[in-house]
């Protein structure tokens, strides 16, 4: 352990072997070193944006065991929003100050490829400055297989119709054995990374998530982070890493013991230490709770995602994010925790320091 502490003190890149030993350290040691890194990169700033999540359909050809959103699983209310309904939500969000629309759908076999593209075009035509973050690599893989398109063709159309950046969803856990247990048939780990690489090669940015706290172990999490670190070394296209805490209501993975705060904070801190080349670590309050997301800022995280306004995926599985949070509460919470609230755009340009 002395060697690992010395390595952390040096601030140099950790080897795979060293990364695998990180969980053996106690929370406060990890927090201390993660906080040093965070401070070097962002000082006392906490980033957030004013955004709106829209989930246009929950009809899904896939059968991920962790999902409570898909109508093919335990959700009895299948829906597909019309473009008018989507545009009405976008209009309300813009009126409420949203600068980003984050669009994630289920893998609906009944909607056309043009249906997706038209959503992006209509948003951009009405609101050219609104950032459209849309289509996870899992959706791109589904659309490519379902409509007989190459990944490159899908990505080219996304750019043409106005998608600005890609969200980090669908990564789950890259380990192939765990993936087969929790989301068999969904985009492979190799292809998830390949799709982000293609997107980055177009000069575009994206995020990367990791779903944890279900049937994976600590080594699987480290392996996941390292696969992201390897790609980031090549492309430098990831803005943020987002560890998503597994929500266990209404789905098919039975986890008897819910992951505790110490394990969540350790994972946030370890993400900061392993992913030395990813600028931001997002404590996504929808899955960690806002209070723990605030504490996570002392353990390596520097971002909270956004006000969300409405969210259907994690809230279907028990998260308290169905109606989002207002900006005033965000700012008050950040300030009273001794940090500096920074409203950012989707690419982390600073819009306002409070
Ligand atoms: O990939 C599904 C996750 C993700 C559950 O890029 C669950 O800025 C927890 O990717 N418990 C979609 N999570 C959401 C997503 C996201 C969220 C916020 C910000 C960004 C970003 C991306 O939701 C899926 C899946 O991993 N999810 N079910 C669940 N039971």
């Amino acid at each position: 352990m002395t060697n690992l502490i010395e390595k952390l003190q040096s601030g140099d890149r950790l080897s795979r072997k060293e990364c695998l030993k990180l969980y053996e350290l106690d929370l406060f040691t990890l927090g201390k070193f993660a906080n040093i890194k965070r401070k070097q990169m962002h000082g006392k700033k906490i980033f957030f944006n004013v955004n709106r999540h829209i989930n246009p359909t929950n009809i899904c050809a896939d059968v991920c065991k962790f999902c409570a959103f898909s109508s093919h699983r335990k959700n009895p209310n299948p829906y597909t929003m019309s473009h008018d309904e989507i545009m009405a939500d976008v209009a309300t969000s813009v009126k409420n100050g949203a600068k980003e629309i984050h669009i994630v759908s289920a893998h609906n076999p009944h909607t056309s490829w043009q249906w997706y593209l038209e959503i992006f075009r209509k948003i951009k035509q009405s609101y050219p400055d609104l950032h459209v973050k849309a289509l996870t690599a899992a959706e791109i893989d589904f659309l490519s297989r379902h409509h007989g398109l190459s990944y490159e063709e899908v990505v080219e159309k996304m750019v043409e119709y106005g998608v600005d950046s890609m969200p980090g969803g669908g990564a789950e856990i890259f380990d192939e054995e765990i993936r087969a247990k929790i989301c068999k048939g969904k985009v492979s780990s190799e292809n998830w990374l390949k799709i982000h690489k293609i997107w980055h090669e177009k000069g575009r940015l994206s995020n990367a998530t990791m779903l944890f706290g279900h049937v994976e172990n600590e080594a699987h999490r480290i392996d996941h982070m390292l696969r992201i670190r390897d790609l980031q070394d090549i492309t430098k296209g990831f803005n943020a890493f987002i560890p998503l805490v597994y929500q266990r209501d209404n789905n098919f993975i039975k986890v008897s013991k819910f992951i505790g705060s110490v394990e969540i904070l350790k994972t946030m801190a370890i993400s900061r230490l392993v992913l030395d080349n990813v600028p931001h670590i997002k404590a996504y309050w929808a899955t960690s709770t806002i209070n723990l997301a605030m504490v996570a800022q002392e353990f390596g995280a520097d971002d909270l995602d956004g006000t969300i306004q409405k969210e259907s995926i994690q809230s279907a599985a028990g998260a308290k994010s169905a109606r989002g949070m207002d900006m005033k509460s965000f700012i008050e919470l950040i300030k009273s925790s001794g940090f500096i609230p920074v409203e950012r755009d989707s690419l982390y340009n600073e819009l306002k320091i409070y």
Side-chain angles (χ1 to χ4, degrees), residues 5-23:
I5 298 287
E6 279 166 14
K7 191 69 177 285
L8 286 167
Q9 275 163 346
S10 76
D12 291 343
R13 172 165 280 198
L14 302 169
S15 67
R16 173 174 285 267
K17 212 166 138 204
E18 288 160 344
C19 289
L20 283 164
K21 287 209 151 295
L22 285 171
Y23 273 103

Side-chain angles (χ1 to χ4, degrees), residues 51 53 65-69 100 102 104 133 136 138 166-172 186 206-212 240 242 244-249 251 282 284 287 305 308 311 313-314 316-318 344 348:
N51 66 347
H53 285 215
K65 286 194 178 151
F66 51 78
C67 184
F69 169 63
E100 169 191 289
H102 177 165
V104 175
K133 180 159 85 178
T136 65
M166 264 178 69
E172 322 312 357
K186 192 171 176 163
S206 66
N207 292 332
T209 57
M210 173 179 78
L211 183 66
F212 74 110
I242 313 162
L244 298 170
V245 182
Y246 173 62
Q247 312 291 301
R248 59 182 171 167
D249 289 354
N251 52 28
K282 192 183 278 193
Y284 181 52
T287 66
D305 195 70
I308 296 180
E311 191 279 325
I313 299 179
Q314 278 100 7
R344 60 165 173 84
Y348 288 85

Side-chain angles (χ1 to χ4, degrees), residues 38-258:
R38 182 225 197 275
K39 276 193 181 148
Q40 283 166 353
M41 296 168 92
H42 308 294
K44 293 292 270 182
K45 288 177 179 172
I46 293 186
F47 297 93
F48 69 93
N49 71 350
V50 183
N51 66 347
R52 162 79 192 237
H53 285 215
I54 299 183
N55 306 117
T57 176
N58 68 350
I59 297 172
C60 197
D62 274 307
V63 284
C64 302
K65 286 194 178 151
F66 51 78
C67 184
F69 169 63
S70 161
S71 64
H72 287 199
R73 308 301 285 168
K74 288 192 177 178
N75 185 339
N77 303 307
Y79 72 81
T80 301
M81 292 168 78
S82 68
H83 285 183
D84 286 348
E85 285 170 323
I86 294 170
M87 290 309 290
D89 280 352
V90 173
T92 313
S93 311
V94 170
K95 214 180 282 166
N96 292 337
K99 309 227 168 28
E100 169 191 289
I101 299 292
H102 177 165
I103 304 174
V104 175
S105 290
H107 307 162
N108 189 331
H110 311 301
T111 48
S112 66
W113 176 212
Q114 203 59 29
W115 179 83
Y116 286 89
L117 295 176
E118 285 304 319
I119 298 174
F120 310 140
R121 192 180 59 79
K122 285 179 181 167
I123 296 176
K124 276 296 180 187
Q125 262 180 0
S126 302
Y127 310 100
D129 295 333
L130 190 62
H131 185 103
V132 177
K133 180 159 85 178
L135 293 184
T136 65
E139 289 176 273
I140 294 173
D141 174 74
F142 168 75
L143 290 166
S144 139
R145 283 187 282 125
H146 194 66
H147 300 291
L149 303 158
S150 67
Y151 292 152
E152 284 80 2
E153 283 170 318
V154 176
V155 161
E156 251 154 49
K157 287 285 175 203
M158 285 164 66
V159 172
E160 188 185 326
Y161 279 74
V163 176
D164 295 297
S165 68
M166 264 178 69
E172 322 312 357
I173 278 282
F174 289 144
D175 178 85
E176 279 72 13
E177 273 180 35
I178 298 295
R179 216 171 170 78
K181 280 188 196 152
I182 65 170
C183 55
K184 195 165 184 230
K186 192 171 176 163
V187 63
S188 67
S189 308
E190 194 187 339
N191 284 343
W192 189 98
L193 291 160
K194 187 173 171 186
I195 290 165
H196 280 262
K197 184 162 187 274
I198 294 170
W199 182 250
H200 296 167
E201 281 165 354
K202 288 244 166 264
R204 303 287 173 134
L205 298 171
S206 66
N207 292 332
T209 57
M210 173 179 78
L211 183 66
F212 74 110
H214 43 88
V215 296
E216 90 295 353
N217 64 29
E218 293 164 348
H220 297 131
R221 292 178 211 154
I222 298 291
D223 169 68
H224 189 94
M225 292 175 205
L226 288 173
R227 293 198 209 190
I228 305 252
R229 189 172 84 175
D230 287 347
L231 179 56
Q232 181 75 336
D233 274 344
I234 301 166
T235 66
K236 303 194 174 34
F238 290 116
N239 255 334
F241 180 67
I242 313 162
L244 298 170
V245 182
Y246 173 62
Q247 312 291 301
R248 59 182 171 167
D249 289 354
N250 306 318
N251 52 28
F252 288 90
I253 305 181
K254 288 296 144 242
V255 177
S256 49
K257 199 165 154 273
F258 195 43

